[in-house]
Amino acid sequence: MKLKVVLFCFSLFMVTSVGFAQKKKQAKSIISEKVAIKKYHNKAELERMQKGQLLVLYVERIESLVKLLPYIAFATKPGVTMTSLGIPNDNDNSDALDDQFEATDKYLEQMREFQGRILPYSDTDNLISAILFYEETFKSLHEYSEFH
């Protein structure tokens, strides 16, 4: 009886370990799902917004571009993985991607802190122009992906 319990526990451990190992090896998307801009704006819409709303849009656009631009040689939309690109999904490459994501997150955290402190002093017209520029850049990246 004890042998059956030990074998059952060992089998359960092995199945759990294999399942965990497979999950860990699953390829991650190179581009975050949070990169997409849900709504593009025109100048008139932005001019009707309060400065606080503009500040939020400005920072969101920077974040999306920072999460996308380093990867446009691979893709411009979420869902592409190292595996789908033919890059081995080994520990070294996976760790390198994780390190890149961590560095990006750290940069974005510092950027948000800086922007939160300094950006409110910006000229509203310049802020609107910057948002429109970032949105046009994002649209251009989607057009760029259609050429390939």
Side-chain angles (χ1 to χ4, degrees):
M1 183 70 169
K2 286 184 180 181
L3 181 60
K4 286 183 179 179
V5 171
V6 169
L7 286 175
F8 175 74
C9 289
F10 180 74
S11 298
L12 188 59
F13 171 75
M14 291 302 292
V15 168
T16 304
S17 296
V18 169
F20 178 74
Q22 287 176 344
K23 279 186 180 178
K24 188 174 181 185
K25 276 297 211 180
Q26 191 172 6
K28 296 177 200 135
S29 180
I30 291 175
I31 298 173
S32 169
E33 295 290 332
K34 298 177 182 177
V35 165
I37 292 177
K38 292 178 178 91
K39 179 174 178 7
Y40 292 95
H41 300 84
N42 61 44
K43 188 173 182 179
E45 288 174 314
L46 294 173
E47 287 173 339
R48 288 190 298 270
M49 291 183 180
Q50 297 292 318
K51 191 167 191 178
Q53 294 171 298
L54 295 172
L55 298 174
V56 169
L57 287 176
Y58 181 85
V59 170
E60 284 176 353
R61 270 88 186 125
I62 291 174
E63 288 178 2
S64 291
L65 287 169
V66 166
K67 289 180 178 182
L68 176 64
L69 285 175
Y71 309 107
I72 64 170
F74 301 115
T76 59
K77 295 179 183 170
V80 175
T81 65
M82 288 191 296
T83 303
S84 65
L85 294 170
I87 300 169
N89 191 32
D90 58 27
N91 287 338
D92 290 340
N93 290 340
S94 184
D95 289 347
L97 186 59
D98 287 341
D99 290 345
Q100 177 66 19
F101 288 160
E102 286 177 33
T104 299
D105 288 344
K106 184 177 179 180
Y107 166 75
L108 288 173
E109 183 180 323
Q110 291 173 334
M111 182 274 304
R112 280 189 293 278
E113 184 178 321
F114 174 78
Q115 296 294 355
R117 180 179 310 266
I118 302 299
L119 197 58
Y121 296 102
S122 65
D123 178 77
T124 302
D125 289 336
N126 289 341
L127 193 57
I128 290 170
S129 294
I131 292 167
L132 291 171
F133 173 78
Y134 289 148
E135 289 184 1
E136 286 301 316
T137 301
F138 217 87
K139 288 177 191 175
S140 295
L141 287 169
H142 289 302
E143 290 173 13
Y144 164 83
S145 69
E146 292 173 9
F147 291 120
H148 298 319

